[in-house]
Amino acid sequence: PGSPVIIEGYLDSHWDLPKLADLRQLLETSGHHLVPVTFGSSLVGTDFETTVVPLRSLIVDHLAQSNATHQGGANGTSNGGDAAKPGDPDLEAILPRTCYMSQHQLFHQCPDLLDHITVPEYTMGRKLSPLNAWVGTRGTVTTLHSDAGENLLCQVAGFKYVRLYALDQTERLHARYVREGTPNVWGTSPVRVEKPDLDAHGRFADATYQETLLKPGDMLYIPKHHWHYIRSLTTSISVNFW
């Protein structure tokens, strides 16, 4: 398959989303585990800091503060309200500093979480990498890039804004490839998608794209090497399969 596809509501009938999204339960059972986090948003600045903190700190000191910036339930992340609208990315500049546990194998640390998921049948016939969790505050950004393999992005809680650029847009993205000539080649782009510097990246002005909003229960299929950019509009929990 060469085109992205959203399978709306797939997880609602296959995963126990309320239990996966219950931050209080996660805090009680797994708060002592150390997890890697990155502070700072690539949308509004370059002041990044990567460190290791107890999961308890991520939840209490950062996710709870993020929840306070939008409407949502007390137990977990927002599932509605104005915060779920893409809006003006400049808003992120006045929000608390972002905190993101990205691409982390949380299910290895907390195997009880596996009781609440099933491996999607769409992964059948291919070898899978370890399961990754993406947990962060509102305003976290995954910069524009492409992956070496097919990707199933599963939205457990919160909302994410996604932009997708086809391979024929690569030249306009000012992209470069890492590990070219190997099966693990992947691409990066220096462009800040929602706040581009068109003096430095003028070709980006002509790039065409698709965009979508991922909501809890949705699963997004991203083809191999397809360019994508993601911003969390609320506190968010995602899981992906490569």
Side-chain angles (χ1 to χ4, degrees):
S3 300
V5 176
I6 291 184
I7 306 168
E8 294 188 340
Y10 173 88
L11 303 177
D12 293 327
S13 57
H14 292 78
W15 291 15
D16 192 338
L17 295 181
K19 288 186 178 178
L20 282 173
D22 190 340
L23 295 180
R24 288 180 176 173
Q25 179 66 19
L26 189 61
L27 177 64
E28 180 179 334
T29 60
S30 305
H32 60 285
H33 286 298
L34 296 177
V35 296
V37 297
T38 299
F39 295 103
S41 171
S42 56
L43 176 66
V44 297
T46 57
D47 180 22
F48 303 116
E49 177 189 356
T50 300
T51 187
V52 175
V53 301
L55 185 57
R56 177 185 303 106
S57 175
L58 171 61
I59 295 171
V60 174
D61 299 332
H62 302 285
L63 301 185
Q65 289 187 32
S66 176
N67 280 353
T69 69
H70 53 69
Q71 300 175 18
N75 287 347
T77 59
S78 171
N79 285 327
D82 291 340
K85 301 175 182 178
D88 186 348
D90 286 338
L91 173 64
E92 310 303 338
I94 63 174
L95 293 172
R97 195 180 188 199
T98 61
C99 183
Y100 204 10
M101 184 196 77
S102 61
Q103 197 176 327
H104 179 57
Q105 295 174 22
L106 183 66
F107 291 85
H108 284 224
Q109 288 181 296
C110 311
D112 288 349
L113 294 175
L114 292 170
D115 294 338
H116 309 312
I117 72 169
T118 58
V119 177
E121 62 265 32
Y122 302 98
T123 64
M124 292 181 64
R126 63 186 178 95
K127 184 178 179 179
L128 292 179
S129 298
L131 191 62
N132 292 301
W134 308 71
V135 180
T137 60
R138 177 180 182 176
T140 57
V141 165
T142 299
T143 56
L144 185 59
H145 71 286
S146 66
D147 293 320
E150 295 176 305
N151 187 0
L152 278 177
L153 178 60
C154 305
Q155 191 62 14
V156 172
F159 293 79
K160 283 186 168 178
Y161 171 69
V162 183
R163 277 201 199 180
L164 300 149
Y165 295 82
L167 286 177
D168 61 8
Q169 299 301 303
T170 300
E171 184 177 348
R172 295 170 179 167
L173 306 182
H174 297 263
R176 70 181 183 89
Y177 285 101
V178 180
R179 299 175 183 166
E180 276 194 279
T182 76
N184 295 320
V185 60
W186 55 280
T188 66
S189 169
V191 178
R192 291 190 183 184
V193 168
E194 294 183 86
K195 295 177 69 69
D197 179 353
L198 296 180
D199 290 332
H201 307 123
R203 295 193 302 274
F204 184 71
D206 298 320
T208 59
Y209 60 89
Q210 297 173 293
E211 62 183 353
T212 190
L213 182 69
L214 281 186
K215 65 182 184 300
D218 289 349
M219 185 165 64
L220 172 63
Y221 167 73
I222 304 174
K224 180 179 180 179
H225 298 320
H226 207 94
W227 297 93
H228 51 288
Y229 161 90
I230 303 172
R231 174 165 62 98
S232 295
L233 305 178
T234 66
T235 310
S236 176
I237 300 174
S238 308
V239 175
N240 89 294
F241 296 84
W242 274 315

